[in-house]
Amino acid sequence: MRVVVTGGSGKLGRSVIRRLSQDGHEVTNLDRTGERGRGFTVVDLRDYGQVVDVFMGLDDRHTGFDAVVHLGAIPAPGIAPDAATFENNMLATYNVFQAARRAGIKKIVYASSETVLGLPFDVDPPYIPVDEEYPARPESTYSLVKVLEEQMAVEFTRWDPELSITGLRFSNVMDPADYEAFPAFDADAALRKWNLWGYIDGRDGAQAVACALDKAKPGFEAFIIANEDTVMSRSSASLAAEVFPNVKVVKDLGEHETMLSIDKAKRLLGFAPEHSWRASYPNRTTPTED
């Protein structure tokens, strides 16, 4: 397919462009900065005219796209003032969704966020592992935008029953170089409780995007995207018992099993994480290996 990726110069975006290109797709990166060439175009996503123009075609480059992967955003709370985060991210996503609709593009995959689950879990989650079944619990302006984006996707797909929009609730994106810091997390179980000790390797995040482009059906669906294990060497059951003693654990947890349930993504998208930090950082030992 001809796929346009917004925010392709970012941490996850680089992995997504690499994966989609390897899969044989013709990929264009829309971002404010990037490597000059035929696969990159400078676009301000806050400007609807720029977005719809490039989606319709670009002289000497392309005549349109088959699918959109929307990753371009201020990527976390606290990077910019709250009002600026709201304005940038909400407007950018509306412009991308609306421009895709006007251009006749029927497949959109975009970055929602694990934050809609209630991060940083200062209020206990309703149960562990968390999943997509309980109502969103935004605790920041950044997360509020993600919730509103998901509702906007519901309405866009209601307007156009042929349109497919997939919201991927990505966990904390990590590259292999980041795994060097993981041993320090073991010193205090509370250090990473804010997202239930979850993460997503950028390469597996890219796999989830590829799966959604291939498998998603018309309508809107949201999926938690995390790796199958936690960032900790301690068992998942012991972490849950210590940090969230009043929260019901609704299944028997594997030794290091994620508490961000990816069962739905596995079942409907065929998502299957391949890059655990435990393999990428071989000098790290776990309690079962001591």
Side-chain angles (χ1 to χ4, degrees):
M1 293 188 292
R2 298 169 300 168
V3 182
V4 59
V5 178
T6 73
S9 300
K11 190 173 188 178
L12 177 59
R14 294 190 296 270
S15 292
V16 168
I17 286 178
R18 187 179 308 115
R19 171 61 186 260
L20 297 183
S21 298
Q22 290 171 349
D23 286 351
H25 299 297
E26 181 182 331
V27 184
T28 296
N29 173 20
L30 304 185
D31 212 322
R32 295 183 186 179
T33 61
E35 185 176 347
R36 183 177 177 180
R38 291 189 62 84
F40 171 69
T41 300
V42 177
V43 170
D44 184 345
L45 298 178
R46 298 169 300 177
D47 184 332
Y48 176 75
Q50 291 187 35
V51 180
V52 74
D53 190 26
V54 77
F55 279 15
M56 298 295 289
L58 188 64
D59 289 349
D60 196 39
R61 297 290 179 87
H62 65 84
T63 57
F65 299 104
D66 302 307
V68 176
V69 177
H70 174 44
L71 309 176
I74 295 171
I79 295 175
D82 292 338
T85 297
F86 185 94
E87 180 181 21
N88 183 90
N89 290 3
M90 196 75 229
L91 184 58
T93 299
Y94 172 80
N95 287 346
V96 168
F97 286 5
Q98 179 73 343
R101 179 168 170 251
R102 295 300 189 205
I105 299 169
K106 298 298 184 182
K107 182 152 288 190
I108 301 171
V109 177
Y110 81 99
S112 187
S113 170
E114 65 181 355
T115 62
V116 305
L117 300 168
L119 276 64
F121 293 119
D122 292 332
V123 176
D124 285 353
Y127 48 80
I128 290 175
V130 296
D131 58 22
E132 300 88 350
E133 296 304 313
Y134 66 91
R137 294 182 169 191
E139 299 291 348
S140 67
T141 297
Y142 172 84
S143 182
L144 175 63
V145 172
K146 292 300 182 183
V147 174
L148 296 175
E149 288 173 348
E150 290 192 0
Q151 185 59 42
M152 183 164 58
V154 169
E155 304 306 335
F156 268 86
T157 55
R158 179 175 64 84
W159 294 347
D160 183 355
E162 295 181 358
L163 178 61
S164 170
I165 303 182
T166 304
L168 300 180
R169 295 176 173 180
F170 289 109
S171 187
N172 190 194
V173 179
M174 298 288 182
D175 287 334
D178 297 320
Y179 296 143
E180 184 177 354
F182 278 32
F185 300 148
D186 281 334
D188 183 355
L191 285 174
R192 292 278 308 193
K193 71 98 176 176
W194 56 269
N195 78 334
L196 299 181
W197 307 278
Y199 75 106
I200 181 66
D201 187 289
R203 295 164 293 182
D204 287 320
Q207 181 209 141
V209 170
C211 288
L213 286 173
D214 183 46
K215 300 285 189 180
K217 297 179 180 180
F220 172 72
E221 289 285 353
F223 299 90
I224 297 171
I225 302 297
N227 275 75
E228 292 192 290
D229 60 343
T230 69
V231 301
M232 305 290 279
S233 61
R234 287 179 50 185
S235 74
S236 296
S238 71
L239 289 166
E242 176 183 336
V243 180
F244 297 103
N246 299 317
V247 177
K248 182 178 181 180
V249 178
V250 297
K251 62 176 290 189
D252 291 332
L253 294 170
E255 181 67 12
H256 302 115
E257 183 177 348
T258 181
M259 286 171 263
L260 302 169
S261 175
I262 56 175
D263 290 348
K264 181 180 178 182
K266 286 181 173 181
R267 185 176 71 253
L268 298 183
L269 298 181
F271 176 57
E274 300 174 343
H275 299 285
S276 169
W277 71 273
R278 298 170 206 280
S280 298
Y281 192 67
N283 295 328
R284 182 69 184 132
T285 59
T286 67
T288 57
E289 294 169 336
D290 288 342

